[in-house]
Amino acid sequence: MDRRHLSSTFVLLLFISFFSEVNPASFKIVNKCRHTIWPGFLSGANTAHLTTTGFVLKPGKSRTVTIPKSWSGRLWGRTLCGVDSSRKFVCQSGDCGSGQIECSGNGAKPPATLAEFTLNGAGGLDFYDVSLVDGYNLPMLIVVKGGKGGNCSATGCLLDLNGACPSELRVARQNGGGGVGCRSACEAFGDPEYCCSGAFGTPDVCRPSRYSLFFKHACPRAYSYAYDDTTSTYTCAGADYVIMFCPPPYTSQKVFGARKDGALLPLVNKSMIYISSLHANGASLSGLLQLQSTVPAASFTMAIFLFWQLILTL
C-alpha cells in the first residue's frame, strides 16, 4: 500500500471516529397526560451539561432535546407547579428545589419516577432504565428509535400507581384530594433493609421487600429496588429515544413483538390494572397484590388499537 493511500485511509478513519464521537442523540419528550407537566433533567458527574434542565410541557405537546453522545443522567416529570408567596417556582411532586423552572443541577425530591441513561457506555452501548427506587409520581415509557446492538427494548411503568399506592407510602395533595406520589419503603421508613444500606448493602443480603414487589408486580420492567439490575436495565447503541409521560397503559406482547422487543418481561402486568373509581381513597398492600382487572374486553381491544396508533406516530 503506497503512502498516499495509507494517509487518505487514516484521514477517513479519523473523520469517522470524530463524527461518531460528536454525533448527538435526541430525546423526544412527549406529554400524554391530561395536565401540564414540567420535565426536569440532572446530568451526572463529569458529564456534559444540557442546554436545558427544565421546561413546561402542555398536554399533548412534545419537545426534542439534543443530548451529547456520552451523556449520563436522569430526567423526570414535575406536577402541580406554580409560584408560591415568596415568588419561587415550586411543585407538589418531583420538585427540584431550584425555585425556578430550570432545575440548574438539582435532582428530583422523592417520590419521582426516573428515566436514567448512560449513553455510549461500556462496549459503545447506551444503558437505560425507568426507576421506581426513589418512588413514583407519573407513568412513564421509554421507546427506542433506530439503534442497534443490545436489546433496544421499550421499558417503563405505564400504570397510575398514585391512587393504588399503599396508604403508608402514599403522598397526598397539599390541599387534599388524590395522591401525587407513592414513596419507596426506604424513603418512608429509612430502614437499612429497605434502603440496601449498612448490613444490607450487598445484593446477596438485600432482597426484594413486599413494598418493592408492589412496584415490580405492577411494572415488571421498572427498577423496584437497588439491586433489581437483571430485569430492569436495557441497552442499545446509536439510538434516539422517546420518553413519554402518561402513555396509554394497555399494551400487548404482540405489539412490541412487531417492534422486535426482546425483553422477557411484559411492560404491564394485566392483573394489576388500576381502576381509579374503585380505589379513590388508596388501598392496602395485601389487596393490591391480587388486584384483578375489570376492564371490559371491548375497552381493552380499543386501548390496544389506540396504543398501536400512538406508537406508529412516534
Side-chain angles (χ1 to χ4, degrees), residues 7 34 57 102 116 133 151 165 187 217 228-229 271 306:
S7 177
R34 296 180 179 179
L57 200 60
E102 295 275 350
E116 301 178 314
V133 174
N151 49 36
C165 181
E187 173 72 16
H217 288 168
D228 198 11
D229 306 70
S271 67
L306 292 175

Side-chain angles (χ1 to χ4, degrees), residues 4 22 31 40 46 63 67 124 130 138 146-147 214 221 233 261 309-310:
R4 285 181 300 174
V22 300
N31 181 13
N46 303 317
R63 176 170 170 175
I67 308 294
V130 168
L138 282 171
F214 160 71
R221 296 191 191 181
T233 300
D261 188 301
Q309 291 296 103
L310 181 148

Side-chain angles (χ1 to χ4, degrees), residues 241-265:
Y241 297 90
V242 177
I243 298 92
M244 187 183 304
F245 291 95
C246 306
Y250 311 110
T251 185
S252 71
Q253 196 63 35
K254 181 178 179 181
V255 167
F256 279 95
R259 295 175 59 85
K260 298 182 180 179
D261 188 301
L264 297 178
L265 293 174

